[in-house]
Amino acid sequence: MALPKVGSIGEYIREQRQQAKISLRQLAAAAGVSNPYLSQIERGLRKPSAEILNQIAKGLRISSQALYVQAGLIEDREPPSDVITAIRADAHLSERQRQVLIDIYESFRKEKHAEDEQTSQNARPRHDSDPDDGPLPEEFLAALEPYAATSRNGDVTQETKEG
């Protein structure tokens, strides 16, 4: 769940209230807090407790978790995967073995995420060059050889194999 980053929890609450087209008084009444207290929260003069955040979330009709994350009371984490749940539930592993397996699994996930990011960046069209600006490198031509035939002028043409 990606939340917009704003300067403070108060600014976030104000932004949510304005998007919902609710007045400060209406939200204060719905949340069961005083107008001045809610105003002070929005201006960053007061830091609300988790209970007050829960009441404000109900008044805004948004997830209280969203406010807790924005206030820094909890981390915005994705739920643990089935793999991590299985590792933690395995009674045959020591605590150290569990932690090592989880660390390795997480490192693989981070590595895969980095590869995916790199792939998506490389897949974006380049605007600074023409895709037909030259011949393919030799290693690509060698890899494509079983699937393509080269015409007399050296261009690779598609050829179908039947068999």
Side-chain angles (χ1 to χ4, degrees):
M1 160 176 59
L3 296 174
K5 291 296 175 196
V6 293
S8 72
I9 183 63
E11 290 176 26
Y12 181 76
I13 291 170
R14 178 182 293 135
E15 182 180 282
Q16 294 300 309
R17 179 178 59 77
Q18 289 171 342
Q19 285 179 0
K21 297 184 180 357
I22 299 173
S23 73
L24 184 98
R25 288 177 189 219
Q26 289 171 321
L27 179 56
V33 297
S34 70
N35 296 344
Y37 183 62
L38 182 58
S39 175
Q40 290 172 351
I41 291 171
E42 286 190 354
R43 290 181 287 142
L45 301 175
R46 300 275 183 154
K47 187 174 180 185
S49 68
E51 180 58 37
I52 296 297
L53 285 174
N54 190 35
Q55 291 171 235
I56 292 171
K58 285 181 183 174
L60 289 170
R61 295 189 177 137
I62 63 172
S63 150
S64 56
Q65 182 181 358
L67 284 181
Y68 294 160
V69 168
Q70 192 66 32
L73 296 176
I74 61 172
E75 287 185 34
D76 188 15
R77 297 180 132 184
E78 61 183 63
S81 72
D82 292 339
V83 173
I84 292 175
T85 304
I87 292 170
R88 287 188 176 141
D90 192 331
H92 299 291
L93 299 173
S94 69
E95 187 57 39
R96 183 174 179 279
Q97 290 169 328
R98 285 187 195 110
Q99 192 57 51
V100 168
L101 283 172
I102 290 170
D103 290 346
I104 292 170
Y105 176 70
E106 289 297 330
S107 72
F108 285 154
R109 289 187 59 182
K110 287 177 186 171
E111 188 177 299
K112 177 69 172 136
H113 179 72
E115 287 174 7
D116 291 347
E117 294 258 328
Q118 185 65 35
T119 302
S120 69
Q121 287 176 357
N122 290 343
R124 292 184 184 136
R126 295 184 346 212
H127 298 291
D128 59 344
S129 65
D130 186 1
D132 295 326
D133 59 359
L136 291 172
E138 288 298 319
E139 61 269 11
F140 290 142
L141 291 174
L144 292 172
E145 194 170 322
Y147 305 102
T150 306
S151 66
R152 289 182 203 162
N153 64 3
D155 290 338
V156 176
T157 58
Q158 187 171 354
E159 187 178 272
T160 58
K161 285 193 166 188
E162 296 181 23

